[in-house]
């Protein structure tokens, strides 16, 4: 890595050995699914890779909702990005936040905590910075309705949910008790559906008989969406089945409902005030602000339009992969899911490896959809893969097996499997602690 220090540290000559100068420098921004797949695909290439992430860990986001609902602990679905260095000699990991990109000078400005600002040079740049929750122009909602994207978010949500039951138990005001026991989720995509079902089971099974004054099973869990139906990325028949399952679990689903306001008392939806102490935002996402720094064309969600080789028109040595990229295939957008991010990251890695070897680019990127799944509480999942549609217990077993196999490291797999088995048999959840520091932020 050639690093030019600009602020906190004195200027130093980088160690310019011949081997270093011979090698092309690849900067990868983001240690999510796409960034890691790109790094791995470059394992045998004669390049120097620097993988930059502002977090020191990779998160298996599909199971974040289980951290938010006390099934799993944060460490069970995350893995340190740095451990990649042990497995890949041409890779360095840098804990830093990207602050600016200049594709003219081929440099990226980063801020390293405790060190200061650095300027990094590159020959190839891969942006895999993902998405973050979007409040559709109402950023003021964020204070009252956390989204679910990071381990911090998951812990915040878990604290709010568990604290709501505690506050409902301790108050003698019936109205306030009802407000504490009302959970509103805004957005009925897979995250909203999975989270709502899991809160319902937490309330009706895990917390049963844990309180004297309240019956957690009488909680209201409302899932609101502005669209015509829940899970719009699935077929109508599966969406209907998931809605029926949610209703069996006690979740009240309302579609075609626009949330107009979120504040410290709850939400206003379709003109009606719904008092609630726990509002969760599972509605929209927009691309990382890093994309804006590229100065390339973006869609409404801030994702970069990429070409057939995942590069941007202004700079063919700059690639965008994963959720932060937008492209269509056969007239349909490539979805923002983990498998698309992995395929794109791997593809970009191979393109760079080819270019470094002086070879021509192979075939353009083509997304292979292996199917989409969503889980709706214990024993029920839906699966859509091509013309295949299935739902129910067997699909849920497939979902569980696939998720265990996809976890980032062996110890995650072992620990999640053990937690699930215990939770399945006992109905209990192991992460019900409210840490003292986080309690004050819950209301
Ligand atoms: C709650 C939830 C549930 C999901 N469930 C599923 C599911 O069941 N199945 C499925 O296929 N997909 C699911 N997804 C979507 C899937 O997780 C994403 O499609 C996938 O993570 C995208 O990968 P990525 O590499 O593009 O971005 P990410 O995995 O989001 O990684 C982006 C990385 O970039 C880093 N970063 C961002 N900005 C900066 C910066 N300025 N400087 C340094 N680093 C930065 C971040 O820290 C992060 O590590 C889910 C997503 C969420 C949030």
């Amino acid at each position: 890595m050639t690093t030019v220090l600009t602020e906190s540290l004195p200027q130093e000559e980088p160690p310019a050995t011949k081997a270093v100068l011979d090698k092309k420098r690849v900067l990868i921004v983001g240690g999510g699914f796409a960034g890691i797949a790109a790094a791995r695909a470059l394992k045998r290439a004669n390049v120097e890779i620097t993988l930059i992430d502002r977090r020191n860990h990779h998160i298996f986001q599909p199971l974040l909702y289980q951290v938010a609902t006390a099934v799993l602990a944060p460490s069970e679905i995350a893995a340190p990005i740095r451990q990649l260095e042990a497995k890949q000699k041409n890779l360095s990991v840098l804990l830093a936040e990207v602050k600016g990109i200049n594709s003219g000078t081929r440099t990226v400005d980063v801020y390293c905590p405790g060190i200061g600002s650095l300027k990094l040079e590159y020959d190839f740049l891969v942006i895999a910075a993902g998405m973050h929750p979007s409040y559709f122009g109402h950023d003021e909602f964020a204070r009252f309705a956390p989204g679910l994207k990071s381990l911090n978010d998951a812990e915040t949500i878990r604290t709010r949910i568990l604290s709501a039951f505690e506050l409902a138990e301790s108050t003698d005001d019936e109205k306030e008790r009802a407000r504490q026991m009302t959970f509103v989720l805004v957005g009925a995509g897979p995250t909203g559906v999975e989270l709502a079902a899991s809160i319902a089971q937490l309330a009706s099974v895990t917390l049963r008989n844990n309180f004297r004054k309240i019956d957690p099973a009488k909680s209201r869990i409302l899932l609101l969406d502005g669209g015509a139906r829940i899970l719009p990325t699935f077929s109508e028949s599966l969406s209907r089945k998931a809605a029926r399952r949610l209703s069996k679990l006690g979740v009240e689903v309302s579609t075609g409902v626009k949330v107009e306001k979120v504040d410290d008392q709850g939400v206003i939806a379709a003109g009606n005030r719904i008092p609630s102490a726990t509002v969760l935002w599972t509605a929209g996402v927009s691309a990382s602000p890093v994309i804006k720094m590229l100065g390339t064309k973006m869609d409404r969600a801030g994702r970069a339009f990429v070409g057939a080789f995942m590069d941007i028109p202004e700079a063919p040595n700059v690639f965008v992969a994963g959720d932060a990229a937008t492209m269509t295939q056969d007239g349909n957008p490539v979805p923002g899911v983990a498998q698309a991010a992995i395929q794109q990251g791997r593809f970009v890695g191979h393109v760079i490896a080819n270019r470094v070897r002086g070879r021509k680019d192979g075939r353009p990127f083509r997304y292979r959809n292996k199917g989409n799944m969503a889980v709706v509480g214990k024993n029920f999942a839906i699966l859509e893969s091509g013309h295949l549609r299935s739902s129910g217990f067997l699909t849920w077993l497939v979902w569980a097996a696939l998720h265990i196999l996809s976890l980032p490291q062996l110890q995650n797999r072992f620990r999640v499997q053990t937690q699930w088995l215990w939770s399945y048999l006992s109905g209990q959840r192991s992460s019900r602690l409210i840490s003292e520091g986080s309690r004050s932020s819950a209301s």
Side-chain angles (χ1 to χ4, degrees), residues 29-35 52-55 57 61-62 64-65 81 96-98 128-131 148-149 191 194 288 290 321-324 336-339 341 373 403:
V29 179
F33 289 104
I52 306 163
D53 203 301
R54 61 182 171 201
R55 303 194 286 233
H57 52 273
Q61 291 177 0
L64 260 181
Y65 83 94
I81 298 173
E97 175 148 14
V98 169
M131 307 282 277
L148 183 57
K149 191 66 190 150
T191 303
E194 293 177 344
S288 155
V290 172
D323 280 4
V337 293
Q339 49 172 323
M373 300 192 88
H403 279 68

Side-chain angles (χ1 to χ4, degrees), residues 207-273:
L207 299 182
R208 191 171 45 200
N209 297 333
N210 277 220
F211 295 88
R212 289 281 166 267
K213 290 191 198 158
I214 61 162
D215 176 2
K218 292 196 174 135
S219 306
R220 285 187 78 197
I221 298 140
L222 281 71
L223 181 60
L224 313 180
D225 198 289
R229 63 184 175 92
I230 67 164
L231 298 172
T233 51
F234 287 81
S235 66
E236 275 191 59
S237 62
L238 285 179
S239 158
R240 263 198 309 274
K241 282 184 180 170
R244 273 203 297 272
R245 184 73 184 180
L246 282 171
S247 154
K248 254 191 180 170
L249 294 172
V251 177
E252 300 169 41
V253 177
S254 302
T255 50
V257 172
K258 199 168 171 272
V259 170
E260 290 136 19
K261 192 172 181 193
V262 185
D263 58 24
D264 60 349
Q265 289 306 303
V267 302
I268 297 179
N272 299 314
R273 155 103 25 217

Side-chain angles (χ1 to χ4, degrees), residues 225-355:
D225 198 289
R229 63 184 175 92
I230 67 164
L231 298 172
T233 51
F234 287 81
S235 66
E236 275 191 59
S237 62
L238 285 179
S239 158
R240 263 198 309 274
K241 282 184 180 170
R244 273 203 297 272
R245 184 73 184 180
L246 282 171
S247 154
K248 254 191 180 170
L249 294 172
V251 177
E252 300 169 41
V253 177
S254 302
T255 50
V257 172
K258 199 168 171 272
V259 170
E260 290 136 19
K261 192 172 181 193
V262 185
D263 58 24
D264 60 349
Q265 289 306 303
V267 302
I268 297 179
N272 299 314
R273 155 103 25 217
I274 305 172
S276 166
T278 312
V279 181
L280 307 176
W281 193 262
T282 49
V285 281
S286 59
S288 155
V290 172
I291 296 301
K292 232 184 206 163
M293 299 172 197
L294 287 173
T296 191
K297 205 173 156 206
M298 300 181 293
D299 69 2
R300 277 173 54 199
R303 291 173 293 216
F305 283 102
V306 290
F309 293 92
M310 308 294 311
D311 45 9
I312 58 166
E314 296 80 4
N317 59 337
V318 177
F319 302 83
V320 184
D323 280 4
T326 183
M327 68 187 318
T328 50
Q329 180 172 302
D330 306 329
N332 297 313
V334 172
V337 293
Q339 49 172 323
I342 293 169
Q343 290 175 27
Q344 291 177 343
R346 197 180 292 144
F347 175 86
V348 166
H350 289 312
V351 171
I352 295 174
N354 269 341
R355 291 188 188 175

Side-chain angles (χ1 to χ4, degrees), residues 68 146-147 151-161 280 438 441-442:
L151 291 179
N152 274 350
D153 295 338
E155 288 185 292
T156 301
I157 291 174
R158 185 185 67 194
T159 298
R160 290 200 185 191
I161 294 170
L280 307 176
S438 61
S441 61

